[in-house]
């Protein structure tokens, strides 16, 4: 009976275990940032592709939320408001760009939402994962682990 | 499943079913196609599903309609219920139950 054995994988696992917590968190930040960058691009492309561009404020506001710029999570969605762009009563304080995206996605009593974020999610799942894998591999190469 | 068959599933829940256009009723369902999803095998499209948005708008705080609709959509093998979200529209006073599903 033939057997398969791997030694390289064990070495990588052991090497990763030896990485200090600081280096691990640095790597996680790099990977998440790479994924976030792809996600932002996908969001902007998706908003444009679905024709949800009027002033462009919502599209241009897509970014990582301030609270998640570091740590083990990145939240990406339209940020801020369109304050000052329009003069009607409701927009004195501005409408949150995230609210606009929500209504365009899910609709309201006046129209059926096109669920455009689902399409963005489909792209993000592929592109962000690829970017994170690439960053991880580059890191391992840089450290001579592969 | 054809779109008419899908509409008929919705009609088992209520007769107040509208395609794309909303209504002035106190409680109704509005639905509409929002795109297609294709399943590929060996580089070819083997099956194409239709993505459909289904929305319940109700002024009834404890409506039984969402429960009935969830059951009707979940029990049908040709309908995949992707997600459901509930929101309250302050402007109109309606509760909005937003479903997204795919049919093959």
């Amino acid at each position: 009976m033939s057997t398969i054995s791997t030694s390289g994988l064990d070495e990588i696992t052991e090497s990763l275990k030896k990485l200090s917590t600081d280096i691990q968190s640095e790597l996680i930040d790099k990977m998440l940032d790479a994924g976030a960058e792809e996600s932002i691009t996908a969001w902007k492309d998706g908003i444009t592709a679905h024709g949800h561009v009027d002033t462009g404020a919502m599209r241009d506001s897509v970014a990582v939320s301030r609270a998640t710029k570091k740590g083990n999570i990145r939240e990406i969605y339209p940020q801020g408001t369109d304050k000052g762009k329009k003069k009607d009563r409701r927009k004195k304080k501005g409408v949150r760009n995230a609210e606009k995206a929500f209504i365009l996605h899910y609709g309201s009593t006046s129209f059926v939402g096109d669920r455009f974020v689902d399409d963005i999610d489909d792209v993000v799942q592929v592109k962000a994962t690829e970017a994170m894998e690439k960053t991880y591999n580059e890191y391992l190469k840089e450290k001579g682990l592969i | 499943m054809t779109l008419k068959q899908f509409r008929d599933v919705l009609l088992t829940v209520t007769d107040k079913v509208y395609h794309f256009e909303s209504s002035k009723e106190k409680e109704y369902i509005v639905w509409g196609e929002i795109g297609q999803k294709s399943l590929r095998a060996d580089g070819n499209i083997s099956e194409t599903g239709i993505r459909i948005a289904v929305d319940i708008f109700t002024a009834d705080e404890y409506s039984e309609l969402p429960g009935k609709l969830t059951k009707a959509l979940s029990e049908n093998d040709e309908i995949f219920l992707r997600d459901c979200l509930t929101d309250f529209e302050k402007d109109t006073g309606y509760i909005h139950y937003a479903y997204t599903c795919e049919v093959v």
Side-chain angles (χ1 to χ4, degrees):
Chain A
M1 181 184 275
S2 61
T3 57
I4 298 170
S5 64
T6 55
S7 58
L9 202 60
D10 293 339
E11 284 170 25
I12 290 170
T13 308
E14 285 307 309
S15 302
L16 284 172
K17 279 181 188 170
K18 286 176 191 167
L19 293 176
S20 71
T21 312
D22 286 349
I23 294 174
Q24 280 182 29
S25 79
E26 180 196 326
L27 174 59
I28 289 167
D29 271 338
K30 276 185 180 177
M31 288 171 69
L32 289 174
D33 288 341
E37 199 175 313
E38 288 295 334
S39 303
I40 290 166
T41 304
W43 260 93
K44 290 183 175 179
D45 290 349
I47 288 169
T48 305
H50 282 81
H52 296 321
V53 180
D54 181 10
T55 64
M58 182 180 78
R59 179 198 56 206
D60 298 341
S61 75
V62 177
V64 177
S65 71
R66 197 178 299 169
T68 65
K69 288 197 171 173
K70 290 281 173 193
N72 292 337
I73 194 167
R74 297 289 183 277
E75 286 181 345
I76 294 130
Y77 55 87
Q79 309 287 314
T81 70
D82 62 358
K83 187 181 175 185
K85 299 275 181 188
K86 301 268 170 112
K87 290 181 179 174
D88 68 64
R89 182 183 56 81
R90 193 164 177 248
K91 295 191 175 177
K92 272 183 183 172
K93 288 184 178 176
V95 177
R96 288 180 62 229
N97 288 313
E99 185 184 338
K100 284 191 229 169
F102 181 92
I103 292 169
L104 289 165
H105 179 79
Y106 284 112
S108 72
T109 41
S110 51
F111 71 97
V112 177
D114 65 5
R115 307 319 199 245
F116 77 102
V117 183
D118 290 349
D119 291 337
I120 292 170
D121 275 346
D122 289 345
V123 175
V124 165
Q125 278 176 26
V126 177
K127 297 279 185 186
T129 306
E130 281 175 356
M132 290 169 74
E133 279 176 356
K134 191 179 168 206
T135 306
Y136 184 58
N137 284 328
E138 281 171 358
Y139 187 85
L140 292 179
K141 277 180 191 167
E142 190 184 305
K143 298 289 175 190
L145 296 171
I146 54 171
Chain B
M1 173 178 270
T2 65
L3 288 175
K4 281 188 177 175
Q5 286 170 327
F6 183 80
R7 176 205 61 191
D8 292 344
V9 171
L10 301 179
L11 285 168
T12 63
V13 176
T14 175
D15 59 347
K16 296 176 177 65
V17 174
Y18 300 89
H19 193 199
F20 286 114
E21 289 184 11
S22 58
S23 162
K24 300 285 181 195
E25 312 268 0
K26 292 225 164 172
E27 183 170 80
Y28 62 95
I29 290 175
V30 58
W31 66 286
E33 309 89 280
I34 48 170
Q36 292 192 333
K37 278 269 179 187
S38 296
L39 182 65
R40 288 175 179 271
D42 293 333
N44 298 312
I45 294 174
S46 60
E47 203 161 18
T48 301
I50 305 167
R51 289 175 61 222
I52 298 176
V54 184
D55 299 292
I56 294 174
F57 290 98
T58 178
D60 180 358
E61 191 177 357
Y62 300 106
S63 170
E64 291 179 0
L65 199 54
K68 287 180 185 173
L69 180 63
T70 303
K71 191 167 182 283
L73 295 175
S74 304
E75 283 179 349
N76 194 306
D77 291 340
E78 291 175 298
I79 300 171
F80 168 62
L81 187 55
R82 191 167 164 151
D83 66 359
C84 176
L85 175 134
T86 308
D87 182 43
F88 177 63
E89 276 191 24
K90 284 182 187 168
D91 295 358
T92 60
Y94 277 86
I95 299 171
H96 178 189
Y97 296 87
Y99 298 79
T100 310
C101 38
E102 288 167 17
V103 299
V104 288

